[in-house]
Amino acid sequence: MEPQNLSPFAPDEVTYLSGEEVRQIDFGEFFKNFLNSPGNINLWGNFVYYVFVKNGFGWKEVVLTNIFGYFMFSLLVFKMLKKFLPPSKRGIILYTAAILNPTVLQVTVSSLRDIWIFFFYVLVMYAFINGNYLIILPSLILLGMLRFYMVPTVLLFILILSTKKRLMSVLAAFLAIFGTFLILSNVVPNVYEVLLSELPQRIIEGFTGISLWLILGRLNFYGSPFLKLEHAAYYFYAVSYAFLWSHVFLRKALKKLLNDNLFSAAFFSSLFLIFLHTILIGFFVGRILYLIWFPTFVLTLAHLYAKSETK
């Protein structure tokens, strides 16, 4: 077993706490880093290092910040699902799946940024759906400080959700993907090769949870608690997606789903996220899969259940 698989810390946590890869706070350096690596904006590393580590606090205080984020996120998901569903067993199951997901538990008891990425990502969606437009801009700014390419992703979600015509939704998604490709092809080396070799399998993994490692049985439960939760999340996504797609096909709900504006927003924005992440980073971890899974699985099912209960 590789030594890093036994470490209680994720690789990003090591760089945060050691200060080895802390991003520059100086605005000029920050902007220069953004131009050189637009997918790598992460001011959370500065927060962890400068506020807690350099000032003599500690890792526990960082985790307590994330635990607070977990409760904020749990409350937000509750309000989001309540927007679609009245109190019911289905709502409770979806809520439990969203907040007790192995990925959510994993990032909560760590010094990673991702519980706050989840929070601001869903907050922008909720604010738009609920008509709280004043919340959107500050949430987008904070989301961009944590992971910049989540901003165009959630903006595409909003654009498609506000578009009533199906053709316009498809066109918006196509223009977003094609325009981003033209921009990044001048920034990222070997972009064509990356897309041809990586994108098909990332799309399959993103919308089914199925990966080559899962098929080959290489996702075992040996190693650190962090790694065990990571591998548990992969199985969780595969099982939950199997439920979603079997539910859709067995109940002959595919046509209803394809005509659902919320599903279009969830699907195309998630496809855009897969496209961006494949070019900028490459491999998927559970934290990225959650950002695809939440709108595609949780919001889609909540909306479908809401429609069936109003009949």
Side-chain angles (χ1 to χ4, degrees):
M1 182 177 294
E2 297 180 7
Q4 63 265 28
N5 291 346
L6 299 173
S7 171
F9 298 103
D12 283 353
E13 289 183 284
V14 175
T15 59
Y16 296 168
L17 298 174
S18 66
E20 290 180 4
E21 293 185 9
V22 173
R23 279 70 173 176
Q24 297 293 326
I25 288 182
D26 177 77
F27 181 78
E29 288 295 324
F30 171 80
F31 186 69
K32 182 180 177 182
N33 288 341
F34 168 70
L35 292 177
N36 291 333
S37 183
N40 201 29
I41 298 303
N42 176 7
L43 294 187
W44 178 262
N46 297 91
F47 171 70
V48 172
Y49 182 72
Y50 285 104
V51 176
F52 288 102
V53 178
K54 195 172 181 180
N55 290 337
F57 287 91
W59 181 77
K60 291 182 180 179
E61 284 74 15
V62 182
V63 174
L64 286 175
T65 304
N66 275 348
I67 291 174
F68 173 71
Y70 173 78
F71 286 111
M72 294 282 289
F73 180 66
S74 299
L75 178 61
L76 177 62
V77 172
F78 175 80
K79 295 180 74 173
M80 173 72 95
L81 291 178
K82 189 178 178 182
K83 180 74 178 176
F84 294 107
L85 287 171
S88 63
K89 289 183 180 180
R90 288 173 168 177
I92 292 172
I93 292 172
L94 281 177
Y95 179 70
T96 303
I99 68 165
L100 295 182
N101 183 297
T103 297
V104 174
L105 299 178
Q106 178 196 51
V107 299
T108 298
V109 292
S110 73
S111 60
L112 295 171
R113 58 186 158 162
D114 297 87
I115 192 66
W116 293 103
I117 293 175
F118 299 166
F119 174 75
F120 289 115
Y121 186 51
V122 177
L123 181 60
V124 174
M125 294 178 178
Y126 175 76
F128 180 77
I129 292 171
N130 210 39
N132 298 326
Y133 302 118
L134 292 177
I135 298 175
I136 293 177
L137 181 59
S139 299
L140 285 173
I141 292 171
L142 291 169
L143 181 61
M145 289 179 176
L146 294 171
R147 180 176 284 136
F148 180 79
Y149 62 81
M150 294 308 303
V151 173
T153 300
V154 76
L155 286 177
L156 182 60
F157 177 91
I158 290 174
L159 176 63
I160 294 175
L161 194 61
S162 61
T163 303
K164 302 301 181 182
K165 295 182 179 180
R166 177 52 43 84
L167 180 61
M168 294 301 295
S169 298
V170 176
L171 181 61
F174 173 77
L175 290 176
I177 292 175
F178 184 70
T180 303
F181 172 76
L182 291 178
I183 294 170
L184 293 181
S185 62
N186 295 315
V187 178
V188 180
N190 304 320
V191 64
Y192 300 95
E193 292 83 354
V194 170
L195 288 177
L196 287 173
S197 62
E198 297 289 332
L199 187 59
Q201 61 179 311
R202 298 302 168 211
I203 292 174
I204 293 171
E205 185 179 3
F207 291 120
T208 67
I210 297 173
S211 66
L212 185 61
W213 276 47
L214 188 144
I215 293 172
L216 295 176
R218 298 182 65 180
L219 300 175
N220 54 54
F221 292 96
Y222 298 104
S224 67
F226 184 92
L227 187 66
K228 290 175 182 176
L229 284 170
E230 180 76 12
H231 288 178
Y234 294 132
Y235 288 104
F236 182 90
Y237 295 129
V239 171
S240 58
Y241 273 127
F243 172 80
L244 172 64
W245 301 125
S246 61
H247 175 84
V248 169
F249 285 105
L250 291 176
R251 298 203 174 194
K252 298 179 180 179
L254 182 60
K255 185 177 180 181
K256 183 191 300 184
L257 199 64
L258 293 175
N259 290 323
D260 187 272
N261 208 35
L262 181 65
F263 175 75
S264 294
F267 177 80
F268 285 118
S269 62
S270 295
L271 182 64
F272 183 57
L273 173 58
I274 292 170
F275 176 81
L276 278 175
H277 188 83
T278 300
I279 293 177
L280 296 172
I281 308 295
F283 62 93
F284 279 173
V285 292
R287 285 106 68 189
I288 298 300
L289 289 172
Y290 188 87
L291 292 167
I292 301 166
W293 176 85
F294 184 87
T296 306
F297 179 83
V298 177
L299 295 189
T300 296
L301 274 182
H303 202 214
L304 286 177
Y305 288 154
K307 286 188 172 182
S308 66
E309 290 185 7
T310 54
K311 287 185 176 181

